[in-house]
């Protein structure tokens, strides 16, 4: 199947423009987070946390946790990172078999643990490898369309393969088919300096369905401001291609996202940090003031409960990753600090409920 055909058939071509999605965030956008964001904010598209193909193809099972989702989250994209093209190819087959709607390649992570090994944003400095990785992922999708499965992936352990097959059987008929899914990229405007004029054409040559661009360089990390002028330049560069350009960086509301769309002609926007404790950021009539603290407390409790339900049976289960979310929900009223101090000591949803009840937030 031609890449163009895959892209045209994909959910991206059916999304109403401009679309606003939930940006992938490691340690944040897990299954409970995405579920809550979809339920209360309805972002048009969501991504998983990034998952390592190097680890996955060496038997590390963490990506299986990252890849948990339910039907309410569609369209959902699995994001992966790494530097070994064969691993991308095999992981793409697995992602297809798990029923995802798309696969996204992280070429933007600045973390030393990722970029120092040549993955994430470091790929901006190795454009030939970046292209090889995109093509290998597209080939993995093609393998799936042609009938290959996790059983044909020589680097995937039998333990992982067994779990993939189990999840696959729980999908509806539609998602069990060997259907095509599109490959997209999420990146930054450069490594040390902004080099979108060289970097973007390199990516475009491989025909990804969409490129999400965070308007910072790797060197900037999360400092300074996202440069939307450069994102605007990217729109110009991609003008005569079918690749969608998605802007990202420092967007705090839907209104702001739509302003950027009007100003720079992007097809969509991804919102990351502004969604912390605030799924309503995606809503049409977003107004932080309209959401009462009681509503937020209710959602915080639901989130805590879902965290327990999703991960509670895991061998290395911990409530710790949930605590930061509780702090993000409980803000903006007189006793907020006091309540937060108690919530960050909790170990289960029952304790959360007791504290929220004690402060008459439930
Ligand atoms: C805690 C955290 C984790 C992140 N993890 C990822 C990730 O796994 N994959 C990715 O492509 N970007 C990741 N990012 C970057 C965000 O997706 C986004 O590009 C960035 O935060 C800028 O958008 P924002 O200003 O709307 O937050 C992460 C950002 C944060 C704050």
């Amino acid at each position: 199947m031609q890449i163009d055909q895959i892209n045209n058939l994909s959910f991206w071509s059916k999304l109403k423009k401009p679309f606003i999605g939930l940006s992938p965030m490691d340690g944040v956008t897990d299954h409970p987070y995405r579920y809550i964001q979809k339920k209360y904010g309805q972002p048009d598209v969501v991504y998983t946390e990034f998952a390592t193909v190097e680890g996955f193809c060496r038997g590390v099972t963490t990506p299986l946790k990252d890849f948990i989702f339910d039907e309410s989250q569609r369209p959902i994209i699995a994001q992966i990172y790494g530097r070994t093209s064969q691993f991308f190819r095999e992981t793409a087959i697995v992602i297809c078999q798990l029923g995802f709607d798309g696969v996204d390649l992280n070429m933007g992570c600045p973390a030393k643990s990722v970029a120092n090994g040549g993955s994430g944003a470091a790929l901006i400095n190795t454009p030939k490898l970046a292209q090889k990785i995109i093509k290998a992922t597209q080939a993995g999708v093609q393998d799936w369309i042609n009938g290959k499965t996790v059983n044909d992936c020589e680097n995937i352990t039998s333990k992982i393969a067994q779990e993939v097959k189990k999840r696959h059987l729980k999908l509806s008929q539609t998602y069990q088919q060997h259907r095509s899914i599109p490959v997209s990229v999420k990146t930054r405007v450069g490594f040390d300096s902004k080099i979108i004029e060289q970097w973007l054409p390199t990516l475009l040559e491989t025909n990804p369905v969409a490129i999400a661009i965070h308007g910072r360089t790797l060197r900037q990390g999360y400092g300074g401001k996202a440069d939307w002028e450069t994102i605007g330049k990217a729109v110009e560069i991609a003008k005569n291609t079918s690749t969608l350009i998605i802007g990202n960086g420092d967007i705090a509301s839907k209104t702001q996202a739509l302003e950027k769309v009007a100003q720079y002609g992007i097809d969509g926007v991804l919102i990351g940090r502004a969604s912390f404790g605030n799924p309503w950021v995606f809503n049409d009539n977003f107004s932080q003031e309209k959401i009462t603290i009681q509503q937020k407390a209710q959602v915080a409790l639901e989130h805590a409960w879902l965290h327990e339900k999703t991960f509670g049976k895991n061998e290395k289960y911990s409530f710790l990753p949930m605590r930061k979310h509780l702090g993000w929900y409980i803000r903006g009223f007189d006793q907020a600090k006091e309540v937060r101090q108690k919530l960050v000591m909790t170990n289960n949803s029952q304790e959360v409920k007791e504290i929220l009840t004690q402060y008459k937030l439930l």
Side-chain angles (χ1 to χ4, degrees), residues 23-26 50 79 106 186 214 222 248-250 272-273:
S23 216
M25 287 181 285
D26 185 40
F50 69 176
Q79 196 195 53
N106 180 300
K186 182 166 174 289
H214 177 189
Y222 291 91
N248 167 243
D250 302 342
R273 290 164 294 176

Side-chain angles (χ1 to χ4, degrees), residues 202-326:
T202 303
L203 295 174
L204 290 170
E205 271 176 31
T206 62
N207 211 356
V209 69
I211 303 176
I213 305 168
H214 177 189
R216 289 185 175 86
T217 60
L218 167 140
R219 197 59 67 208
Q220 280 179 287
Y222 291 91
K225 272 191 188 161
D227 175 0
W228 281 81
E229 292 300 322
T230 301
I231 295 173
K233 257 188 220 164
V235 173
E236 281 302 306
I237 297 167
K239 197 165 55 187
N240 295 320
T241 74
S242 56
T243 298
L244 301 168
I245 299 294
I246 307 170
N248 167 243
D250 302 342
I251 298 298
S253 67
K254 180 163 182 179
T255 309
Q256 249 184 41
L258 295 179
E259 279 167 15
K260 297 294 187 209
V261 170
Q263 202 172 345
Y264 299 107
I266 36 184
D267 298 294
V269 171
L270 294 183
I271 296 181
R273 290 164 294 176
S275 72
F276 289 174
N278 185 19
W280 302 278
V281 71
F282 296 101
N283 281 351
D284 270 332
N285 300 315
F286 168 69
S287 161
Q288 182 72 346
E289 299 80 51
K290 276 189 200 156
I291 312 297
T292 65
I293 182 60
Q294 280 76 15
Q295 276 170 294
K296 288 185 186 177
Q298 194 62 50
V299 174
L301 179 61
E302 183 181 358
H303 192 161
W305 176 79
L306 195 56
H307 176 88
E308 250 167 20
K309 184 172 168 247
T310 308
F311 305 120
K313 291 199 181 88
N314 293 0
E315 226 174 277
K316 291 181 190 155
Y317 170 70
S318 165
F319 192 70
L320 236 83
M322 185 58 221
R323 291 178 175 174
K324 62 180 179 292
H325 295 289
L326 299 172

Side-chain angles (χ1 to χ4, degrees), residues 95-156:
I95 286 169
C96 289
Q97 192 160 353
L98 288 170
F100 279 97
D101 299 302
V103 51
D104 187 77
L105 308 176
N106 180 300
M107 299 194 180
C109 182
K112 285 202 175 87
S113 56
V114 173
N116 283 3
S119 307
L123 287 164
I124 300 173
N125 274 348
T126 52
K128 286 272 171 275
L129 177 59
Q131 286 190 331
K132 194 173 168 193
I133 284 172
I134 300 170
K135 287 180 188 162
T137 312
Q138 290 166 337
V141 172
Q142 209 67 247
D143 289 340
W144 167 254
I145 298 170
N146 294 335
K148 287 201 173 165
T149 70
V150 68
N151 290 340
D152 302 297
C153 300
E154 58 184 37
N155 292 293
I156 302 286

Side-chain angles (χ1 to χ4, degrees), residues 23-34:
S23 216
M25 287 181 285
D26 185 40
V28 178
T29 56
D30 58 6
H31 163 66
Y33 191 85
R34 285 182 254 113

